[in-house]
């Protein structure tokens, strides 16, 4: 496995997987920022696809597939954004305090 992928995976596991919210605001900030994770991943994979397609002798099917992965992950960012909206509606009274 790529050391870059291993480092990114380790960072996600350590910084997100082990994270525990301290209060409702902490959770709200986490949920508000969660789409950024998917947007960054989508953008990064799309950049790799672009670079492979233009700078390396790689069969076009490889960068095309990576672009599809990037688009799917970007969609997950939108879906993740819904978690924040759900939290805000479900806990509106607590959030006003």
């Amino acid at each position: 496995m790529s050391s870059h992928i291993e480092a990114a995976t380790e960072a996600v596991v350590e910084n997100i997987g082990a994270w525990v919210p301290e209060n409702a605001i902490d959770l709200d900030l986490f949920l508000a920022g969660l789409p950024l994770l998917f947007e960054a991943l989508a953008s990064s994979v799309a950049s790799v696809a672009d670079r492979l397609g233009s700078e390396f002798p790689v069969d076009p099917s490889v960068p095309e597939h990576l672009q599809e992965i990037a688009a799917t992950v970007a969609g997950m960012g939108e879906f993740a954004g819904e978690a924040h909206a759900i939290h805000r509606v479900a806990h509106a009274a607590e959030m006003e305090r």
Side-chain angles (χ1 to χ4, degrees):
M1 185 183 308
S2 164
S3 63
H4 299 298
I5 296 295
E6 289 172 348
T9 302
E10 184 177 314
V12 168
V13 169
E14 288 179 10
N15 292 292
I16 294 175
W19 175 78
V20 177
E22 294 181 19
N23 53 48
I25 298 297
D26 201 20
L27 175 58
D28 188 67
L29 292 172
F30 171 84
L31 294 172
L34 193 56
L36 298 174
L37 174 67
F38 294 101
E39 292 166 12
L41 180 57
S43 175
S44 297
V45 171
S47 292
V48 169
D50 290 342
R51 204 167 22 260
L52 288 178
S54 65
E55 300 174 19
F56 294 90
V58 175
D59 186 86
S61 63
V62 175
E64 288 171 7
H65 191 75
L66 289 175
Q67 288 292 2
E68 290 177 20
I69 292 170
T72 300
V73 172
M76 289 300 299
E78 294 172 17
F79 190 60
E82 293 175 20
H84 183 243
I86 291 167
H87 176 258
R88 294 293 255 174
V89 168
H91 296 281
E94 292 99 337
M95 297 300 293
E96 286 184 24
R97 285 189 247 160

